[in-house]
């Protein structure tokens, strides 16, 4: 890439040199303000015009390149510091044992079992459950015939 840049600059300078040789004799009168008049050669006007257009853009390019290089260096230093800093592994938690039994809650076809006092634990006073202690059905009744639409229980009502 450096060779391409060098070739372009050499061609630009050779073109400017040829232009200057061909247009050196005539002098041009340039009026800057009403009272200021300058007699100059055409190549000087071309060089000054090129510098007025090129130098600000070149300075802007160099400043943005410098700013981006600083940002890249800062990010590289932060990454280097993060990679060099050891991370402490937490040992204070225990892993849960993996259950090999299938989860009955995941199967939608598994019926829900009512909870009785014997399932609650040792604080239960009686292990015998009565009909009033059992929770009722969530939807409809326990009779499978009445769950179907258009069954006899719905048509009687």
């Amino acid at each position: 890439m450096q060779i391409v840049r060098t070739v372009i600059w050499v061609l630009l300078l050779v073109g400017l040199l040829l232009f200057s040789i061909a247009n050196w004799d005539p002098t041009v009168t340039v009026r800057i303000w009403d009272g200021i008049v300058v007699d100059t050669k055409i190549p000087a006007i071309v060089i000054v015009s090129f510098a007025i257009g090129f130098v600000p853009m070149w300075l802007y390019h160099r400043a943005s390149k410098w700013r981006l290089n600083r940002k890249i260096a800062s990010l590289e230093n932060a990454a280097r510091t993060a990679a060099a800093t050891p991370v402490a592994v937490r040992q204070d938690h225990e892993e849960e044992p993996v259950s090999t039994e299938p989860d009955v809650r995941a199967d939608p076809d598994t019926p829900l079992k009512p909870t009785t006092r014997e399932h609650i634990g040792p604080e239960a006073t009686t292990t015998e459950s009565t009909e009033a202690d059992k929770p009722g059905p969530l939807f409809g009744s326990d009779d499978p015939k009445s769950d179907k639409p258009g069954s006899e229980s719905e048509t009687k009502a």
Side-chain angles (χ1 to χ4, degrees), residues 34-50:
D34 286 333
I36 301 175
V37 178
V38 177
D39 290 333
T40 185
K41 305 283 184 181
I42 292 177
I45 294 173
V46 171
I47 291 171
V48 169
S49 299
F50 178 77

Side-chain angles (χ1 to χ4, degrees), residues 115-118 126-134:
T115 305
T116 59
R117 288 187 187 254
E118 61 190 25
T126 62
T127 57
E128 181 179 309
S129 63
T130 61
E131 197 64 36
D133 291 338
K134 292 184 180 178

Side-chain angles (χ1 to χ4, degrees), residues 8-145:
I8 290 174
W9 277 111
V10 168
L11 289 175
L12 185 66
L13 289 175
V14 167
L16 181 62
L17 181 66
L18 292 174
F19 177 80
S20 297
I21 291 171
N23 294 305
W24 191 257
D25 286 334
T27 56
V28 178
T29 304
V30 178
R31 181 184 301 178
I32 299 175
W33 285 289
D34 286 333
I36 301 175
V37 178
V38 177
D39 290 333
T40 185
K41 305 283 184 181
I42 292 177
I45 294 173
V46 171
I47 291 171
V48 169
S49 299
F50 178 77
I52 288 172
F54 178 74
V55 170
M57 290 295 107
W58 180 75
L59 290 175
Y60 176 76
H61 167 71
R62 296 299 293 179
S64 64
K65 188 176 178 182
W66 174 76
R67 182 177 44 88
L68 290 175
N69 283 336
R70 281 181 42 124
K71 187 182 284 188
I72 289 170
S74 171
L75 291 173
E76 286 175 347
N77 287 336
R80 218 177 287 123
T81 303
T85 306
V87 178
V89 178
R90 293 182 61 191
Q91 298 291 334
D92 59 342
H93 70 281
E94 295 180 15
E95 293 184 23
E96 294 183 18
V98 178
S99 175
T100 58
E101 297 177 12
D103 189 10
V104 294
R105 295 173 295 176
D107 186 16
D109 295 332
T110 304
L112 297 175
K113 298 178 184 174
T115 305
T116 59
R117 288 187 187 254
E118 61 190 25
H119 292 110
I120 293 175
E123 63 270 2
T125 56
T126 62
T127 57
E128 181 179 309
S129 63
T130 61
E131 197 64 36
D133 291 338
K134 292 184 180 178
L138 291 176
F139 302 105
S141 66
D142 288 337
D143 187 18
K145 292 181 183 177

